[in-house]
């Protein structure tokens, strides 16, 4: 018995011998390893940009602390933000 199903990846209809909700059409299943590689590359690119942004935030905070005469509350706020950025960067280094 054959089943008509919709590929969850591309939305194309296909006739299949076994119907499962998560099965891909022939074209998508052939390309799934390429898609996985592209997804990993895209995620790595996003991660790198976030690490760069956190590093820049920390550098800017350090620069502001050295240049400006900040009020105590502003200095504490910046110290808290710096701590969060530092922890995020440490977590990323631990995941590599």
């Amino acid at each position: 018995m054959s089943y008509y199903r919709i590929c969850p990846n591309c939305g194309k209809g296909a006739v299949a011998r076994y119907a499962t909700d998560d099965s891909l059409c022939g074209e998508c299943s052939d390309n799934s390893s390429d898609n996985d590689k592209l997804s990993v590359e895209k995620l790595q690119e996003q991660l790198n940009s976030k690490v760069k942004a956190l590093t820049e935030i920390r550098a800017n905070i350090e620069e502001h602390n050295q240049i400006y005469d900040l009020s105590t509350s502003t200095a504490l706020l910046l110290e808290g933000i710096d701590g969060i950025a530092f922890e995020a960067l440490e977590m990323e280094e631990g995941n590599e």
Side-chain angles (χ1 to χ4, degrees):
M1 176 179 246
S2 296
Y3 298 92
Y4 183 79
R5 61 178 175 73
I6 303 294
C7 175
N9 193 39
C10 68
K12 293 180 184 174
V15 176
R17 188 169 182 189
Y18 303 103
T20 59
D21 291 339
D22 62 345
S23 57
L24 301 174
C25 69
E27 186 178 325
C28 289
S29 63
D30 290 343
N31 296 330
S32 64
S33 63
D34 293 340
N35 290 338
D36 289 345
K37 289 176 187 174
L38 291 174
S39 295
V40 168
E41 289 173 5
K42 185 174 181 180
L43 289 172
Q44 186 63 48
E45 185 178 303
Q46 290 174 349
L47 179 62
N48 291 344
S49 69
K50 287 174 179 42
V51 167
K52 182 180 177 187
L54 287 169
T55 304
E56 288 176 13
I57 288 169
R58 294 198 72 221
N60 288 338
I61 289 172
E62 185 176 336
E63 180 182 334
H64 276 73
N65 282 338
Q66 292 175 358
I67 294 174
Y68 300 105
D69 185 23
L70 303 173
S71 69
T72 303
S73 60
T74 302
L76 289 173
L77 175 65
L78 289 176
E79 185 178 316
I81 294 169
D82 182 55
I84 292 168
F86 178 77
E87 288 174 6
L89 287 168
E90 264 192 341
M91 286 175 31
E92 168 47 33
E93 288 176 6
N95 289 334
E96 288 183 4

